[in-house]
Amino acid sequence: MPDVWKLLSSLGDSRWLLPMIAVLLISLPRSALKWRALAAIAITAAVTLASKLAYMGWGLGIAGIDFTGFSGHAAMSSAIYPVAATLLAGTPRPARIAGFSAGAILALLIGWSRIPLHAHSVSEVVAGLALGLGAAAWSLRSSPLPVRPHAWILAVSLAAGVALPIATPQLRTHQMVMDLAKWLSGRTEVMQRHSS
């Protein structure tokens, strides 16, 4: 089962998500959806980053529920996959609902994978999922949705998502966040769960 959790967790890696959503958003015509989705993803990323920096740099968390920051995998997956799946499902309402549900279920599984891998607590995953799903729902409030992207867009999205992790195997966003927290706080070591 650990291999399944690792596989699911890898689908929430920013090296996979960001190229995929970039291709989908670039392919969309200028519309309220495009700008809402960009804003929602940016806000989700900013809130997640701020929560991590607050804990790592200054120890700001909620010890009673074992919360040290939003799970980035849960937040970003749930902000992106439901939107991408809805767009790929097409314009009929039942298809959109099915697409959003499928994306949300995938995000839930990705978020949950972080618990058995000991990367996050339940509170961090639940908070990340709530943040991301709220962002996804807000993104899709624009109406009408554009027609389903062509199959080549999905193919390019998948290719970009596979190519970037292979091309940048040493890119470790968590290490970047730790370095930023140290720089901002002036600490030599970041706060960690076991040190608080």
Side-chain angles (χ1 to χ4, degrees), residues 7 26 44 51 67 88 95-96 99-100 115 127 129-130 140 143 148 157-158 165 169 173 175 185 189-190 193:
L7 173 63
I26 288 168
T44 301
S51 72
F67 182 84
L88 293 170
R96 292 198 317 251
F100 187 92
I115 297 168
L129 289 168
L140 295 168
S143 183
R148 178 172 31 197
S157 300
L158 292 173
T173 53
Q175 184 61 50
S185 67
E189 295 296 328
V190 296
R193 198 182 307 276

Side-chain angles (χ1 to χ4, degrees), residues 145-156:
L145 289 180
V147 296
R148 178 172 31 197
H150 296 290
W152 69 266
I153 294 172
L154 176 59
V156 171

Side-chain angles (χ1 to χ4, degrees), residues 18 38-52 72 75-76 79 131 135:
L18 295 180
L38 285 170
I41 290 166
I43 291 168
T44 301
V47 170
T48 301
L49 176 61
S51 72
K52 290 176 182 290
M76 295 307 291
L131 174 64

Side-chain angles (χ1 to χ4, degrees), residues 37 68 114 124 162 166 176:
T68 65
R114 306 299 285 163
E124 293 160 355
V162 170
I166 291 170
M176 292 176 180

